[in-house]
């Protein structure tokens, strides 16, 4: 595992115990020199030890401030006050086949595309816990968006390939096969978050992948069942605060029958540990509709588009400052070039 190291040069103290003894005084400089000095008081005068720091505190804060805010990542998904701010979490919740992964691909492409193509031009980490990431599909979407954006300038094939490579260079993919691996991955990624201000988005598909495995390993104790995901959530919460990243994560809906009512189930009710639920500030409830020919026709869609499967997303956003909630509903269909929105409305 990679660990961030602070290189100290010019170190002349004879031992660590001598350096930490009371006869030494320290002076820290947080300016451009990134230097601190320790002076040893003795009868013969003062001996000076200089240590060159790799980065000053001011430089650290300036680097973290440079991280891109993603409130405008997709205006058609979120309420009027915008999408997720620094350090916020978006959960995409729904059953299998409701467009969650396609939405992630859409958001990922929006981030890695250059500004000239309507993108945000930021770095992204994709944590694939389901081993379902389709790189061919992702590359196809990125390529389609690039071609659509650059068609007016008639770029050559060489420049198309260079632009595609540039977009993919902003993506880091990590695979995990257990909650323990996910925890270690988050520890490992802290190095990247601290050293790369262009890294603004963490995608997890999905955060619920190991729910049943953790339950079986935890036995009858609920605390044991939730222990690993709780540790991941607590660490993720610290990373959100310290490095101001934004997180999008999918969560598979499950149906749970309750005692006393065997037929009742609540597929939309959050079921992951409270540590994770406390992190979520925006919840996108994804669902699948029957082909809505009338809606597609109203949007001016072609015959092929009218035959597309329609997906709906209902967003609930919680404001951390005012404590109020805002809502928005959107509809989209999936094409070869990715997600296409055709309907959106606000709710009180």
């Amino acid at each position: 595992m990679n660990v961030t190291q602070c290189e100290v040069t010019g170190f002349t103290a004879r031992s660590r115990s001598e350096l930490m003894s009371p006869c030494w005084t320290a002076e820290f400089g947080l300016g451009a020199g990134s230097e601190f000095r320790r002076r040893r008081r003795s009868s013969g005068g003062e001996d000076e030890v200089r240590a060159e720091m790799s980065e000053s505190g001011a430089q650290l804060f300036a680097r973290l401030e440079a991280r891109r805010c993603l409130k405008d990542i997709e205006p058609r998904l979120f309420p009027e006050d915008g999408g997720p701010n620094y350090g916020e979490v978006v959960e995409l919740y729904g059953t299998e086949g409701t467009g969650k992964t396609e939405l992630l691909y859409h958001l990922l492409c929006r981030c890695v595309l250059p500004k000239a193509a309507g993108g945000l031009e930021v770095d992204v980490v994709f944590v694939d816990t389901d081993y379902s990431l389709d790189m061919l599909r992702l590359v196809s979407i990125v390529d389609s968006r690039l071609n659509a954006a650059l068609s007016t300038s008639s770029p050559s094939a060489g420049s198309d390939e260079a632009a595609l490579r540039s977009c993919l260079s902003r993506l880091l993919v990590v695979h995990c096969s257990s909650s323990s691996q996910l925890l270690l991955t988050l520890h490992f990624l802290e190095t990247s978050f601290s050293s790369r201000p262009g890294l603004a988005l963490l995608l997890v598909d999905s955060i619920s992948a190991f729910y049943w495995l953790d339950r079986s390993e935890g036995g009858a104790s609920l605390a044991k069942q939730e222990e690993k995901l709780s540790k991941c959530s607590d660490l993720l919460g610290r990373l959100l605060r310290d490095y101001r990243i934004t997180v999008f994560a999918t969560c598979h809906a499950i149906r749970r029958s309750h005692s006393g009512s065997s037929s009742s189930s609540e597929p939309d009710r959050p079921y992951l540990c409270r540590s994770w639920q406390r992190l979520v500030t925006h919840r996108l409830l994804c669902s699948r509709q029957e082909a809505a020919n009338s809606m597609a026709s109203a949007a001016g869609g072609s015959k092929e588009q009218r035959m597309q499967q329609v997906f709906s997303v209902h967003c609930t956003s919680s404001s951390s400052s005012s404590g109020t909630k805002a809502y928005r509903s959107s509809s989209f269909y999936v094409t070869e070039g990715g997600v296409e929105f055709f309907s959106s409305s606000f709710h009180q």
Side-chain angles (χ1 to χ4, degrees):
M1 181 178 296
N2 293 347
V3 180
T4 303
Q5 296 180 347
C6 177
E7 296 184 1
V8 180
T9 60
F11 198 86
T12 59
R14 289 172 294 181
S15 67
R16 176 181 176 88
S17 60
E18 179 183 7
L19 180 62
M20 302 304 294
S21 64
C23 66
W24 289 85
T25 60
E27 296 178 13
F28 290 84
L30 297 181
S34 303
E35 176 185 45
F36 74 86
R37 297 179 295 277
R38 296 186 67 91
R39 290 189 174 87
R40 183 177 187 272
R41 297 186 300 273
S42 64
S43 57
E46 287 188 343
D47 299 326
E48 185 175 284
V49 174
R50 293 177 180 269
E52 300 291 337
M53 305 299 291
S54 61
E55 182 178 42
S56 68
Q59 290 169 333
L60 171 64
F61 288 122
R63 177 160 51 79
L64 293 181
E65 285 291 335
R67 182 155 281 138
R68 179 71 155 78
C69 180
L70 301 182
K71 286 183 71 69
D72 57 344
I73 186 172
E74 181 45 80
R76 293 165 292 187
L77 273 180
F78 299 95
E80 284 185 302
D81 57 350
N85 208 334
Y86 290 112
E88 293 190 341
V89 175
V90 181
E91 182 185 76
L92 290 79
Y93 186 91
T95 56
E96 184 179 357
T98 53
K100 301 186 299 298
T101 299
E102 284 288 339
L103 268 181
L104 278 193
Y105 291 166
H106 173 76
L107 297 168
L108 193 159
C109 291
R110 168 94 166 117
C111 287
V112 301
L113 283 172
K115 294 178 181 178
L120 303 179
E121 206 167 323
V122 298
D123 295 348
V124 179
V125 175
F126 193 109
V127 179
D128 183 15
T129 59
D130 285 331
Y131 282 78
S132 59
L133 175 60
D134 188 344
M135 281 302 300
L136 291 178
R137 170 63 177 160
L138 180 59
V139 171
S140 175
I141 297 174
V142 174
D143 188 47
S144 176
R145 300 289 170 88
L146 281 173
N147 290 334
L150 302 177
S151 59
T152 56
S153 59
S154 299
S156 64
S159 60
D160 278 346
E161 183 177 351
L164 181 60
R165 288 181 178 274
S166 177
C167 291
L168 296 179
S169 69
R170 301 187 186 103
L171 173 64
L172 171 64
V173 177
V174 184
H175 298 279
C176 298
S177 57
S178 68
S179 293
S180 299
Q181 284 191 9
L182 178 59
L183 182 61
L184 291 174
T185 297
L186 292 176
H187 277 290
F188 167 76
L189 289 175
E190 183 169 6
T191 302
S192 299
F193 294 140
S194 64
S195 61
R196 297 172 59 180
L199 181 52
L201 179 63
L202 172 64
L203 301 176
V204 183
D205 189 23
S206 71
I207 193 65
S208 59
F210 314 120
Y211 173 76
W212 294 110
L213 178 62
D214 291 342
R215 282 197 62 175
S216 64
E217 292 179 350
S221 170
L222 180 61
K224 286 291 185 181
Q225 294 174 11
E226 298 182 342
E227 181 180 15
K228 293 179 180 178
L229 183 57
S230 294
K231 289 181 177 180
C232 292
S233 301
D234 292 341
L235 174 57
L236 189 56
R238 182 177 65 80
L239 297 177
L240 291 167
R241 293 189 301 270
D242 291 350
Y243 302 107
R244 298 157 56 86
I245 59 173
T246 302
V247 174
F248 280 74
T250 62
C251 180
H252 299 311
I254 62 173
R255 295 184 177 274
R256 298 181 298 175
S257 297
H258 301 277
S259 58
S261 178
S262 58
S263 61
S264 65
S265 60
E266 299 179 349
D268 301 339
R269 180 175 175 235
Y271 61 90
L272 296 182
C273 63
R274 292 189 179 273
S275 297
W276 168 255
Q277 293 182 35
R278 284 193 293 265
L279 293 179
V280 177
T281 53
H282 306 265
R283 196 163 187 255
L284 304 180
L285 181 59
C286 303
S287 58
R288 181 175 55 191
Q289 301 179 353
E290 296 297 329
N293 291 342
S294 59
M295 296 174 64
S297 299
S302 64
K303 180 179 179 180
E304 180 182 356
Q305 291 171 343
R306 291 196 296 269
M307 297 300 293
Q308 292 287 341
Q309 176 69 62
V310 176
F311 300 92
S312 294
V313 181
H314 301 281
C315 176
T316 303
S317 297
S318 302
S319 172
S320 56
S321 56
S322 62
T324 60
K325 290 187 176 182
Y327 306 90
R328 184 167 189 169
S329 296
S330 307
S331 297
F332 67 90
Y333 51 84
V334 178
T335 68
E336 290 185 359
V339 166
E340 294 289 345
F341 290 91
F342 66 87
S343 175
S344 183
S345 61
F346 298 99
H347 301 280
Q348 296 295 328

